[in-house]
Amino acid sequence: MKNKIAYLGLFAAVAIIFGYVESLIPVFVGIPGIKLGLANLAVLFILQKYSWKEAAFVSVVRIIVIGFMFGNMFSILYSLAGAVVSLAVMTVMKKFSGFSILGISVAGGVSHNIGQLIIACMIAMSSSLLYYAPVLLISGVITGLLIGILTQEILKRIRF
């Protein structure tokens, strides 16, 4: 139990550091709102090693800390919306053994963007933002694949 708490704290700290690093990059690939999602690497790792509850804990901690340090209430709201949808999708996919870590990560990236798009439409009270969906879906696949590859490599190297 003590080791588990230490690992959760360690990965929450890693996620916060990754969030800080991403905050230094003004806009990923020149498209507003698109980020690599390095902080999600820690969440995906914890989801693979423990359960959705621990992954949710790390995710919420990193979202709140990063939001207060480098964002605002809207960034926290958007991140929480994306994280809830993403974690739910990844948890369901993890339960079905046919999906690899890459598939789970891609689904997480896409669903994270869908969650953020839904909350953006609700805040703006307009469905006109849905025109941005194709860009977000493509970026979710690409970033999800990259985060999945990184997580897969880390899972090979860290044993506990």
Side-chain angles (χ1 to χ4, degrees):
M1 181 64 169
K2 289 180 185 178
N3 286 344
K4 181 178 174 181
I5 293 170
Y7 279 117
L8 294 178
L10 174 69
F11 279 93
V14 166
I16 292 165
I17 291 167
F18 285 165
Y20 170 70
V21 169
E22 279 194 335
S23 76
L24 298 175
I25 304 168
V27 178
F28 186 67
V29 299
I31 303 170
I34 294 179
K35 297 188 311 183
L36 180 55
L38 284 174
N40 294 322
L41 189 149
V43 174
L44 185 59
F45 182 88
I46 293 297
L47 180 63
Q48 289 299 115
K49 286 296 185 178
Y50 294 113
S51 75
W52 70 269
K53 293 175 189 173
E54 289 85 358
F57 171 78
V58 169
S59 187
V60 168
V61 166
R62 69 129 179 128
I63 288 168
I64 290 172
V65 171
I66 291 170
F68 281 122
M69 289 176 69
F70 313 112
N72 54 44
M73 289 307 290
F74 280 110
S75 65
I76 293 172
L77 184 61
Y78 286 116
S79 293
L80 283 173
V84 166
V85 175
S86 176
L87 190 56
V89 168
M90 291 190 302
T91 300
V92 169
M93 289 185 70
K94 183 183 172 207
K95 290 186 182 204
F96 297 102
S97 61
F99 295 103
S100 70
I101 187 76
L102 296 179
I104 292 170
S105 181
V106 167
V110 169
S111 58
H112 185 89
N113 288 346
I114 290 170
Q116 289 188 328
L117 188 58
I118 290 169
I119 200 75
C121 288
M122 290 171 63
I123 289 171
M125 293 190 294
S126 171
S127 62
S128 66
L129 294 174
L130 293 175
Y131 76 92
Y132 200 43
V135 173
L136 290 177
L137 296 178
I138 291 168
S139 73
V141 169
I142 294 168
T143 59
L145 188 59
L146 292 172
I147 294 301
I149 291 168
L150 288 172
T151 303
Q152 187 175 44
E153 290 303 312
I154 291 170
L155 284 166
K156 289 178 189 175
R157 289 169 171 74
I158 297 179
R159 308 242 187 261
F160 61 91

